[in-house]
Each structure stands twice: as C-alpha cells, then as structure tokens.
Amino acid sequence: MSTLDKSMALTGQPPKSLSKGQKLATLWGMAGLGILLLASFNINFPNKGLWLSLALLSIFGGTFWFSKEAYGQKHKGIKNDGVWFKSISSAGLFGWLAGIALTGFYIVLYFFPAYLGLSSKGDNTGVIALFDPLSKMLSGNPASQWFVYGTLYTVAILAFGVKFIWKYRHNRYEVLRTISVMFFQAAFAFLIPEIMARLNGKIPYYDLKNMWPLNYYNFERYRINGFIDAGDVGMAMLLFGILTIFVISPILTFKYGKRWYCSWVCGCGGLAETAGDSFRQLSDKKVSAWKVERWVVHSVVVFVTLMTTAVIYSYLGNDTSKYWLTKTTFLVGVTAILTLVFGWVMLFKRQELQKDAQYGAIGYFVIIMALIGLHYFSGDGNIFLFKSESLRKSYGFLIGSIFSGVIGTGFYPLLGNRVWCRFGCPMAAILGFQQRLFSRFRITTNGGQCISCGNCSTYCEMGIDVRAYAQKGENIVRSSCVGCGICSAVCPRGVLKLENGPLKGRIDSNQVLLGNDVDLMDLVNQK
C-alpha cells in the first residue's frame, strides 16, 4: 500500500514524531558532529584525514537521508508542515538553544581561534589540526580557522542544498538556483581560491564570487601589492574586481534584478537559503522593521564607502611624477561619481522614492561631501579627521565580524535567515538601489486569483508583506526583494510570477487579467 501523503491542506498538519529512518539519519549526522566536537577537546585522532572524511561524510549523509525521509514520501508541493508548532522553527526552546550554539561558535571562531587549536608557533592542535590534511592537499598550507570555517560552510550549503531541492522539487526555478549557489560556493569560493594559492603563492586569497563592498578589504594596500607582484594573473584579477563593480553588476542587475547575485551566487544568501530555510518564516513583517531596515542598511553603505575611500586615500601619494592616481585626483573622482549618481536620482527618479528616502539621500550625500571636503585638514595617513586604519578596523569588527557572522548567522533561529541581508549587507543595499530604480525585474500579481491564504507573506524571508500587494493586484518592485521566488513557489493559485522581460506584448488581450495595471481599452484600440 502506498504511504504517499496526498494531503494538499493549506493549513498544514501538526508535526509528527520522527520516523525510524529520520531518527537513524539524525544519529548518523550527529556522529559526524561528535567527531568534530571530540577533536575540539584535543582528542588526538591517529589518521586525521580518515577521521575528517568520516565526519564530513556523516554530516552530509545524515542530512541527505533525513531530507529523503522527510520529503521523499510527500506529494510534490509546499505545505506549512507545522513550522509554527515546532520549537526549533518557531523561536521556541530548541530555537534559542540552536541560536546560542551558533552564536557561541562564531564568537570562538572569530575572536578565540586558539581554543579551536590554531597555533602561530607550532603545529595546530584540536579541531583545526583535523583539517590540516585537507588544507595541505588543496593549498599546501596548514589549516587556519578560516579554512575550517570555509569547509564547514561549504558542506552545510551542499548538504542542506540537497534538503532544499527535495523540499522544493516541484519548482524548477528553486532547483536551478539552489544548484547554482551550491556550485559557486564549492568551486568559486572554496576549491578554486585554494588551488590558486597552491599554484601561485603571491596571489592574495580571493573569493571570486565576492565583489566590493562585500570584499571591502580587496583594495587595501597589501592586497593591491599582492595582485601587482603576482604578474598578469594578479592584474587580471584586480581588473576583474573593478569591472564587477562598475560594469558587470549594473548590467546584470538591470536585466535580472539583484536576484542574479543574492539568490544565485552569494555565499551568504546560499547559506541563508539552504541551512536557514527552516527559519524564513521568522522574518519580521512589521512596518517598523522595514523602516529600521532602510536606515540601518544604507548607513552601512555610507560607512563602507567612507572606509574604502579612506583606506585607498591613505596609501596614495601627491607626487604626479610617481603616481598617476594621486590623493587629490582620487578624491575628485569619488566626489564626481557620487555627485553624478545623486544628481541622476534626484532629477529622473525622485518620484520613485518616498519622502523620507529623499531626505535620507540628501542627508547622506551632504555628510559624505562634507567629510571629503575636510581632507585638507587631515594629516598624513588621515582622512575625515580619523585614521584610515581605525576606520577599517572599526568596520571589520562591527560589520564584517559581529553583524555578518555572529548576528547574521547565529540569529537564524531567532530572527529569520536573512538578518544580515536585510539589515547589514552593503552589497544587498547597492543592488537593491539599482533594482528599485532601473531594473526590469518585478514580481507580477494576478489579484483576481488571490485567496489571501498568506503563504507568500509568511515565507518571505525579506519581511515583505507580499499578500498586501497581491490583494491589490500591484506588481512588487522592492529594493529588498532578493528574487528567491519562494512566494511564488508556495502560492496555491499561481498568483505570483517572477519576470524581467519588457512590459510591451506580455498581455494577451483575449484574456482578462487583473493586477498588472493593464488598460484593456488601450489594448483593444491597438488592434
């Protein structure tokens, strides 16, 4: 007799106890974590390569098996699956315990790596020593805490990516973009940089899928010198980094919206979508949260812009015979670019910004221009009346470590899986600015079909009240939308559709479609 669950109830079912297969899968996965935990207590494993392989394979295999048991016997399609009844996914006791454990891990990793066995004078010990064989095989160097983190990060995206595919296997878009983030993390963020370090030790470690302002450190002096010393390959990588900012990113965002990066390439988004999928419903949907989000994330953009400008300014010279890019020329160029962007927005796109956003843009612009003007009063190595190194360290600690790592990931079980993307990621803010003002991407709504079930709003990880747009038949064009497509995937009526094509010709006048701002009489008159 078939055990396939064919229930299509939108309300979902209360969670059932784990099946025998799920219990065995959990035991298998926890065994892998147990090996890593024992290693962190300085248990000396004789064959570290073998034990590391067993640990990673157990984690991956246990997650794969659990996913198959959880979703393999269910009818294709998304149900609520009792997410608000489960302690782990409703910010209950197990959710808090998971959040504390993740936050503690990030704190130790970022600030106390010696507790994990990192040694600057001798051989590594503890859990980091367990990763030495893999690190030496890939790059020829002993493992660091960042290699351990990168390995576990990649395994998490791969393992939970399989779980995500099982769950959303009815939706081709979700399957393809999950495979994409799995590929970019495994290849561009993990394997290729390690192998390149082995082939050319002068090339700085470079996550090829990251670009400014995520890799804000890429334009520091030591990295610029490293790219130059690495020859043509290094210069090509530096040029590629600059092109991604001014050419590649704007073009792709115009055509596809910020989803090309945030949901198809980015490692932070990849972990949020896969390992953090169980917590997406915890994202705050209140208007107050949206207002805080706008101010905080754009303040981070201003911070990283000032910090990067200060760092580059600090190591440039004033002698035109030695430097083609002098301090004065650089600041004039930054001022010109910012003025052009601000002027274009105020002249041509002002009506698309709300009043407080207009005031905010003016305020931020005045602050940046005033601080740049103060550089004449700064001493050598200083700008904005601060030392550039102090700005860099402050940004690296507050944003790069605390926000993106400790809070951004550690708070998945408490505040949702896109805390960093919503409130702290400068890359998401810049791409969102481009998406809101000139991108062709939008989510169209067929308001006449909406039954107000609320699935779309519940599962929006960016805190957008999608149902409110669907009920009014309005297209969704929001700077915060990452185009994950889950709102469309969980809609039982096909109300929502992700589009990036031209508006002209997309409506069939023989069909009466509501919610797309269509003047049907105008279509009739065009015949």
Side-chain angles (χ1 to χ4, degrees):
M1 180 181 295
S2 174
T3 60
L4 185 67
D5 179 9
K6 297 183 178 181
S7 171
M8 294 298 292
L10 294 176
T11 55
Q13 301 294 330
K16 300 178 182 178
S17 59
L18 297 180
S19 66
K20 182 178 180 180
Q22 288 174 308
K23 292 177 181 178
L24 291 175
T26 302
L27 180 63
W28 188 14
M30 293 300 292
L33 291 176
I35 294 174
L36 299 181
L37 184 62
L38 289 174
S40 67
F41 286 102
N42 284 325
I43 300 297
N44 185 24
F45 292 96
N47 190 333
K48 292 180 172 57
L50 174 62
W51 282 100
L52 176 64
S53 300
L54 289 175
L56 298 182
L57 287 175
S58 294
I59 294 172
F60 184 89
T63 306
F64 179 89
W65 187 5
F66 187 95
S67 304
K68 188 175 185 299
E69 289 289 326
Y71 301 109
Q73 298 302 317
K74 291 184 177 181
H75 190 77
K76 290 183 179 180
I78 304 305
K79 294 181 286 292
N80 290 314
D81 293 318
V83 291
W84 292 113
F85 295 95
K86 300 176 183 176
S87 177
I88 186 68
S89 58
S90 61
L93 175 62
F94 286 112
W96 275 92
L97 292 176
I100 292 171
L102 285 171
T103 302
F105 169 74
Y106 269 85
I107 291 175
V108 173
L109 178 79
Y110 276 73
F111 307 114
F112 306 101
Y115 292 163
L116 298 177
L118 182 67
S119 176
S120 58
K121 297 181 179 179
D123 294 335
N124 291 324
T125 58
V127 69
I128 292 183
L130 194 66
F131 285 77
D132 276 341
L134 179 60
S135 179
K136 291 178 180 178
M137 181 182 72
L138 293 175
S139 66
N141 301 314
S144 65
Q145 80 266 37
W146 305 121
F147 180 81
V148 173
Y149 177 52
T151 304
L152 295 178
Y153 200 101
T154 303
V155 170
I157 288 181
L158 294 178
F160 285 97
V162 173
K163 175 179 178 290
F164 191 94
I165 290 174
W166 267 107
K167 182 178 180 181
Y168 295 93
R169 64 189 185 277
H170 71 292
N171 191 292
R172 183 170 177 266
Y173 178 80
E174 299 302 330
V175 172
L176 289 177
R177 75 179 185 86
T178 304
I179 293 174
S180 175
V181 296
M182 292 167 69
F183 167 74
F184 277 102
Q185 175 61 34
F188 281 67
F190 183 63
L191 292 176
I192 293 178
E194 294 291 337
I195 295 173
M196 289 180 64
R198 187 183 190 93
L199 297 177
N200 189 335
K202 294 182 179 180
I203 297 179
Y205 182 90
Y206 192 0
D207 183 344
L208 293 172
K209 64 178 177 51
N210 272 4
M211 57 184 175
W212 186 88
L214 275 183
N215 60 355
Y216 58 90
Y217 47 81
N218 218 36
F219 296 103
E220 294 186 16
R221 186 168 191 169
Y222 80 95
R223 291 184 65 85
I224 297 295
N225 291 339
F227 286 129
I228 294 174
D229 293 341
D232 293 340
V233 175
M235 290 300 296
M237 294 175 65
L238 178 59
L239 180 62
F240 173 75
I242 296 174
L243 288 176
T244 55
I245 302 170
F246 296 105
V247 180
I248 299 175
S249 173
I251 291 176
L252 290 177
T253 305
F254 167 73
K255 291 178 64 66
Y256 306 109
K258 64 191 289 187
R259 60 175 171 160
W260 78 266
Y261 188 79
C262 295
S263 291
W264 286 73
V265 175
C266 179
C268 299
L271 188 69
E273 290 293 329
T274 53
D277 175 65
S278 299
F279 313 108
R280 64 173 56 250
Q281 68 278 354
L282 299 176
S283 179
D284 196 338
K285 310 301 192 296
K286 295 193 294 289
V287 174
S288 58
W290 173 55
K291 291 181 178 179
V292 171
E293 170 192 335
R294 288 196 301 169
W295 283 101
V296 172
V297 75
H298 289 98
S299 297
V300 172
V301 173
V302 172
F303 192 3
V304 72
T305 302
L306 292 175
M307 184 271 298
T308 305
T309 302
V311 168
I312 297 177
Y313 175 88
S314 67
Y315 59 76
L316 295 176
N318 288 314
D319 189 349
T320 56
S321 64
K322 295 180 180 180
Y323 301 94
W324 67 269
L325 182 63
T326 63
K327 292 188 175 193
T328 302
T329 304
F330 173 68
L331 284 183
V332 170
V334 171
T335 304
I337 292 174
L338 293 176
T339 302
L340 286 173
V341 172
F342 176 78
W344 176 79
V345 171
M346 289 295 108
L347 286 175
F348 301 105
K349 296 292 182 176
R350 183 174 64 254
Q351 69 277 7
E352 298 185 29
L353 301 177
Q354 293 192 5
K355 186 171 293 185
D356 62 333
Q358 295 179 27
Y359 293 155
I362 295 172
Y364 282 137
F365 180 74
V366 170
I367 291 172
I368 294 176
M369 293 298 104
L371 290 174
I372 290 178
L374 288 174
H375 85 279
Y376 291 108
F377 299 97
S378 304
D380 291 339
N382 295 355
I383 191 174
F384 314 140
L385 305 181
F386 301 99
K387 286 188 175 296
S388 60
E389 185 65 15
S390 299
L391 281 175
R392 185 193 67 80
K393 289 183 177 179
S394 298
Y395 183 89
F397 175 76
L398 294 174
I399 309 301
S401 299
I402 298 298
F403 210 150
S404 69
V406 177
I407 295 177
T409 305
F411 282 27
Y412 275 6
L414 306 177
L415 299 177
N417 60 328
R418 288 272 190 174
V419 179
W420 161 246
C421 306
R422 285 187 66 185
F423 297 96
C425 179
M427 187 76 242
I430 290 177
L431 293 179
F433 173 79
Q434 297 172 0
Q435 174 172 279
R436 182 68 180 84
L437 296 180
F438 62 78
S439 175
R440 294 165 62 176
F441 171 72
R442 63 202 176 277
I443 300 179
T444 58
T445 62
N446 187 345
Q449 294 281 344
C450 180
I451 59 173
S452 300
C453 67
N455 272 359
C456 53
S457 292
T458 297
Y459 290 102
C460 178
E461 58 195 354
M462 298 305 291
I464 302 173
D465 188 3
V466 181
R467 179 173 59 179
Y469 287 89
Q471 289 172 332
K472 292 181 289 187
E474 292 182 0
N475 291 344
I476 303 171
V477 184
R478 287 279 294 272
S479 60
S480 57
C481 178
V482 294
C484 67
I486 296 297
C487 59
S488 177
V490 299
C491 178
R493 299 282 290 172
V495 172
L496 305 162
K497 184 177 181 181
L498 281 68
E499 297 189 12
N500 50 263
L503 288 172
K504 186 177 181 180
R506 64 175 297 276
I507 301 299
D508 182 359
S509 58
N510 293 322
Q511 300 176 2
V512 179
L513 298 180
L514 301 178
N516 291 288
D517 300 323
V518 179
D519 186 339
L520 295 179
M521 291 305 299
D522 181 61
L523 288 172
V524 171
N525 293 331
Q526 290 178 11
K527 293 295 183 180

